[in-house]
């Protein structure tokens, strides 16, 4: 009965247009009234405890880093760098959009921000080159799904704080999967380019052009190196790395490129505060939701289900996890999914011998796909607003890319060595 109230009220809230954060908070409050010796005073207590984590402090800092880099107008430098690498291929601008998103992923940690920045620079050029607008918009949106995978990743920070897993290992584990996802998108783009007769890429200057573009973008490309190597090398924590990266971005924007003025800082901080407030509100209300499920013994009840009870065969558990996450990806926010699903599956995964880092990448890839899954994928709304493409047309074009990205998801799920190779190589096995 408790679960019926919890999920029933939440679905009703979503159906009448209540925001995800408020809907989960109201459904949690309704469920609390059914628990013995529980009152509504638990709501603010659990919201505070959910956010009371040093690791979570890095989330607004990474969001600030993305805002700083966007205001510093660094996307154009990254586009030029990507153009020098893959611009000569047929459908060159389409390939450039994927590579640009991959590079942006290593800076902002937000798929929505990456897709928006790439669309702002490349969509006018793709329109001028007569690329199909819905296809172009969908490809840029699909490229944004790499944002939560290639570090830094806000989703991984949240998962690490909940599961008590090393953020450094998660960041390293996301590098190869992110590159593979980009490779699948580029392979699909090459096939579509031939079928649709997309224009051939513009000739580039070869190696000298690559060197020139690399020099122009070199200072920007240092940002992910600072974050990843700093954390992996034990020089500083994820939160400290985010703060240092923000300081580096401030120096680039104000002193090197001089595209950020002191008068821009209040607006940058205000935008970051608004976005951070939305993310943290979802995280806080989802924390109450997850706590109630724990009180209702949902993880223990799930462990008794036939396809989850056999810990000797974890492939069924992983399949069930992927199906559940794909279903939740349509109506729910990615942060909420991580906060709710992680406590449910973590005990089952540990009992089945699944590495927590491996589990974190599976969840991260799923919630990244949720950003382009209709009807409420965050990237869908952003791209539609920027390009003027209707939600229906964009969603129809996205189906191809969602289907393609399910292939690497299955690879990451059932070949854990792909995920664990880098963290085990650079940091040693987690359980030697």
């Amino acid at each position: 009965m408790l679960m019926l109230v919890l999920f029933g009220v939440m679905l009703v809230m979503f159906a009448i247009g209540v925001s995800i954060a408020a809907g989960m908070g109201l459904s949690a409050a309704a469920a609390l009234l059914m628990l013995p010796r529980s009152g509504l005073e638990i709501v603010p207590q659990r919201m505070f405890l959910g956010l009371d984590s040093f690791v979570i402090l890095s989330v607004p800092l990474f969001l600030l880093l993305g805002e700083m880099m966007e205001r510093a107008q660094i996307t154009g430098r990254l586009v030029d760098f990507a153009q020098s690498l893959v611009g000569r291929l047929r459908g060159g601008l389409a390939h450039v959009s994927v590579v640009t998103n991959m590079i942006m992923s290593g800076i902002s940690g937000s798929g929505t921000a990456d897709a928006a920045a790439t669309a702002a620079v490349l969509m006018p050029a793709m329109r001028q080159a007569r690329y199909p607008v819905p296809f172009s918009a969908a490809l840029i949106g699909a490229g944004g799904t790499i944002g939560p995978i290639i570090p830094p990743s806000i989703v991984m920070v949240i998962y690490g704080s909940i599961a008590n897993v090393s953020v450094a290992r998660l960041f390293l584990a996301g590098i190869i999967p992110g590159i593979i996802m980009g490779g699948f998108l580029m392979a699909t783009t090459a096939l579509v380019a031939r079928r649709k007769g997309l224009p051939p890429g513009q000739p580039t200057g070869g190696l000298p052009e690559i060197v020139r573009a690399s020099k122009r973008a070199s200072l920007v490309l240092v940002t992910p190196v600072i974050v990843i190597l700093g954390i992996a090398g034990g020089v500083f924590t994820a939160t400290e790395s985010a703060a240092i990266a923000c300081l580096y971005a401030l120096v680039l924007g104000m002193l090197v490129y001089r595209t950020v003025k002191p008068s821009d800082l209040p607006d940058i901080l205000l935008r970051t505060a608004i976005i951070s407030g939305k993310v943290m509100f979802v995280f806080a209300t989802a924390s109450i939701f997850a706590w109630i499920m724990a009180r209702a013994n949902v993880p223990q009840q799930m462990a008794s289900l036939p396809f989850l009870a056999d810990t000797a065969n974890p492939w069924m558990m992983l399949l069930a996890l992927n199906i559940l996450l794909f279903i939740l990806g349509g109506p729910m926010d990615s942060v909420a999914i991580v906060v709710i699903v992680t406590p449910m599956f973590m005990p089952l995964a540990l009992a089945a011998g699944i590495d927590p880092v491996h589990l974190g990448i599976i969840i991260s890839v799923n919630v990244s796909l949720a950003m382009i899954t209709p009807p409420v994928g965050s990237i869908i709304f952003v791209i539609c607003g920027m390009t003027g493409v209707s939600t229906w047309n964009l969603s129809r074009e996205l189906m191809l890319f969602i289907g393609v990205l399910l292939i690497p998801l299955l690879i990451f799920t059932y070949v854990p060595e792909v995920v664990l190779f880098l963290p085990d190589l650079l940091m040693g096995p987690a359980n030697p």
Side-chain angles (χ1 to χ4, degrees):
M1 186 62 181
L2 179 67
M3 288 296 98
L4 180 62
V5 171
L6 186 64
F7 285 96
V9 173
M10 181 182 69
L11 291 176
V12 170
M13 293 295 104
F14 291 170
I16 63 177
V18 176
S19 69
I20 291 175
M24 288 191 299
L26 291 172
S27 63
L32 273 174
L33 297 177
M34 300 185 61
L35 287 174
R37 298 183 299 277
S38 296
L40 293 180
E41 68 276 2
I42 293 178
V43 173
Q45 293 173 4
R46 298 309 307 183
M47 290 179 68
F48 175 81
L49 290 173
L51 299 175
D52 187 19
S53 168
F54 179 70
V55 175
I56 291 298
L57 283 176
S58 65
V59 173
L61 289 172
F62 280 127
L63 291 172
L64 175 59
L65 173 62
E67 286 291 328
M68 294 284 291
M69 285 297 189
E70 179 183 352
R71 190 61 62 94
Q73 302 175 14
I74 54 90
T75 309
R77 296 173 183 269
L78 299 181
V79 168
D80 288 345
F81 177 62
Q83 177 76 28
S84 71
L85 295 176
V86 297
R88 68 180 65 191
L89 302 176
R90 174 172 288 276
L93 286 176
H95 290 290
V96 168
S97 72
V98 176
V99 175
T100 302
N101 265 311
M102 292 173 67
I103 300 172
M104 287 288 292
S105 300
I107 297 173
S108 74
S110 168
T112 305
D114 296 345
T118 305
V121 176
L122 281 177
M123 276 304 298
M126 297 176 84
R127 287 177 188 269
Q128 187 175 5
R130 298 188 177 181
Y131 281 70
V133 175
F135 165 78
S136 303
L139 177 60
I140 292 175
T145 61
I146 306 174
I149 310 303
I150 294 180
S153 167
I154 293 172
V155 167
M156 291 182 191
V157 169
I158 292 174
Y159 170 83
S161 69
I162 297 170
N164 196 26
V165 176
S166 166
V167 174
R169 297 188 71 87
L170 288 168
F171 278 8
L172 290 173
I175 294 175
I176 292 178
I179 294 173
I180 291 175
M181 290 171 67
F184 269 83
L185 288 177
M186 291 186 69
T188 304
T189 298
L191 295 175
V192 173
R194 290 185 177 276
R195 183 168 62 86
K196 290 183 177 288
L198 297 182
Q202 298 296 322
T204 60
L207 183 60
E209 175 67 16
I210 294 176
V211 172
R212 184 199 67 79
S214 299
K215 288 181 178 179
R216 190 165 180 263
S218 59
L219 294 178
V220 178
L221 297 175
V222 169
T223 308
V225 176
I226 293 174
V227 174
I228 298 170
L229 295 186
I231 298 175
V235 179
F236 34 67
T237 66
T239 304
E240 292 166 347
S241 73
I244 291 171
C246 286
L247 179 61
Y248 180 73
L250 182 64
V251 172
L252 283 185
M254 296 189 69
L255 302 181
V256 180
Y257 300 145
R258 299 189 178 184
T259 49
V260 177
K261 302 175 182 178
S263 58
D264 294 329
L265 294 180
D267 184 54
I268 292 173
L269 294 174
L270 178 61
R271 284 172 55 86
T272 302
I274 293 172
I275 298 173
S276 298
K278 293 178 180 178
V279 173
M280 292 305 191
F281 188 28
V282 172
F283 187 92
T285 54
S287 298
I288 311 169
F289 202 93
W291 180 80
I292 292 175
M293 289 197 302
R295 283 286 302 270
N297 295 321
V298 172
Q300 290 80 358
Q301 294 173 23
M302 290 181 57
S304 64
L305 296 175
F307 50 87
L308 296 178
D310 186 7
T311 56
N313 295 301
W315 71 272
M316 278 295 294
M317 179 190 305
L318 293 174
L319 178 61
L321 172 63
N322 281 319
I323 293 174
L324 174 64
L325 289 171
F326 189 80
I327 294 172
L328 292 178
M332 293 190 69
D333 180 85
S334 58
V335 174
I337 295 173
V338 175
V339 178
I340 292 172
V341 170
T342 300
M344 292 169 55
F345 274 86
M346 181 58 71
L348 304 176
L350 293 177
I354 299 172
D355 192 291
V357 173
H358 180 210
L359 180 67
I361 297 302
I362 294 173
I363 292 176
S364 297
V365 174
N366 270 286
V367 299
S368 72
L369 291 180
M371 295 190 299
I372 58 171
T373 302
V376 296
S378 58
I379 288 180
I380 294 177
F381 293 130
V382 170
I383 295 297
C384 286
M386 296 184 66
T387 63
V389 178
S390 70
T391 303
W392 168 253
N393 287 336
L394 181 63
S395 299
R396 185 176 57 186
E397 291 284 344
L398 279 171
M399 288 300 104
L400 169 65
F401 297 110
I402 292 174
V404 167
L405 290 174
L406 288 176
I407 300 174
L409 172 60
L410 291 176
I411 295 174
F412 309 149
T413 299
Y414 293 111
V415 188
E417 292 79 10
V418 174
V419 172
L420 301 176
F421 173 74
L422 266 186
D424 287 349
L425 175 67
L426 299 179
M427 301 182 68
N431 297 302

